[in-house]
């Protein structure tokens, strides 16, 4: 399994505190993932372009562009479709929002990584599969195969 840095990553790199939802496709390294991001299309797409992340992924799907927001499973289905696959291929949802990223990943039947930044998990919410302090740790977890 592989992952991609979120759209808040620094230009051409991943900042340790970077976040942003990203759906990672199976069987890939940093290239080949898919980004799912909530927000206004112009803002989010500009972040993705400035960071260089857009060049490293197969597709991006921004809620402001498609009218669907996480945790709605349809946004995950749409980005998978844009890459010629579907959610049955599996993958990971990496993000910092229990309500949007983790809940959305679970709804899409993806495994989840929560970027918790040393925060406590909200009571009553189903746990993420893994918890890490930052985006670099999430990517490392996937790349070393322990995800």
């Amino acid at each position: 399994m592989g992952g991609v840095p979120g759209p808040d990553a620094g230009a051409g790199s991943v900042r340790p505190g970077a976040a942003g939802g990203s759906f990672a496709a199976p069987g890939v390294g940093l290239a080949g993932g898919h980004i799912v991001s909530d927000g206004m299309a112009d803002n989010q797409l500009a972040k993705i372009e400035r960071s260089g992340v857009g060049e490293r992924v197969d597709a991006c799907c921004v809620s402001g562009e498609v009218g669907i927001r996480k945790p709605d499973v349809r946004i995950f289905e749409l980005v998978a479709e844009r890459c010629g696959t579907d959610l049955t291929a599996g993958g990971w949802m990496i993000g910092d929002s229990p309500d949007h990223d983790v809940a959305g990943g679970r709804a899409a039947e993806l495994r989840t990584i929560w970027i918790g930044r040393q925060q406590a998990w909200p009571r009553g919410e189903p746990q993420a599969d893994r918890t890490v302090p930052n985006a670099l740790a999430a990517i490392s977890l996937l790349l070393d195969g322990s995800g």
Side-chain angles (χ1 to χ4, degrees), residues 112-117 119 121 127-133 141:
T112 57
I113 299 176
W114 179 52
I115 300 172
R117 295 193 183 87
Q119 298 173 32
W121 183 258
Q127 290 280 338
D129 293 299
R130 304 278 195 211
T131 298
V132 296
L141 184 74

Side-chain angles (χ1 to χ4, degrees), residues 4-15 18-22 30 35 37 42-57 60 139:
V4 296
D8 293 328
S13 64
V14 179
R15 292 182 292 112
S22 55
L30 288 178
I35 295 175
S37 184
D42 57 347
N43 289 344
Q44 298 301 75
L45 292 171
K47 287 181 192 178
I48 292 166
E49 184 179 330
R50 273 194 320 270
S51 70
V53 172
E55 298 171 11
R56 299 180 182 154
V57 298
C60 299
I139 293 167

Side-chain angles (χ1 to χ4, degrees), residues 10-139:
S13 64
V14 179
R15 292 182 292 112
S22 55
F23 161 61
V28 295
L30 288 178
H34 320 303
I35 295 175
V36 174
S37 184
D38 285 338
M40 294 174 42
D42 57 347
N43 289 344
Q44 298 301 75
L45 292 171
K47 287 181 192 178
I48 292 166
E49 184 179 330
R50 273 194 320 270
S51 70
V53 172
E55 298 171 11
R56 299 180 182 154
V57 298
D58 290 337
C60 299
C61 194
V62 178
S63 64
E65 171 187 48
V66 299
I68 306 168
R69 294 182 60 86
K70 296 176 286 179
D72 191 323
V73 72
R74 293 176 299 161
I75 198 165
F76 299 97
E77 292 169 339
L78 183 57
V79 76
E81 181 181 302
R82 287 181 176 184
C83 294
T85 189
D86 60 40
L87 295 177
T88 62
W92 288 89
M93 174 61 202
I94 304 166
D96 63 354
S97 171
D99 296 328
H100 298 122
D101 300 324
V102 175
R106 289 234 180 262
E109 299 185 14
L110 302 169
R111 297 196 312 178
T112 57
I113 299 176
W114 179 52
I115 300 172
R117 295 193 183 87
Q118 312 304 322
Q119 298 173 32
W121 183 258
R123 290 181 143 216
E125 295 291 328
Q127 290 280 338
D129 293 299
R130 304 278 195 211
T131 298
V132 296
N134 55 55
L136 285 176
I139 293 167

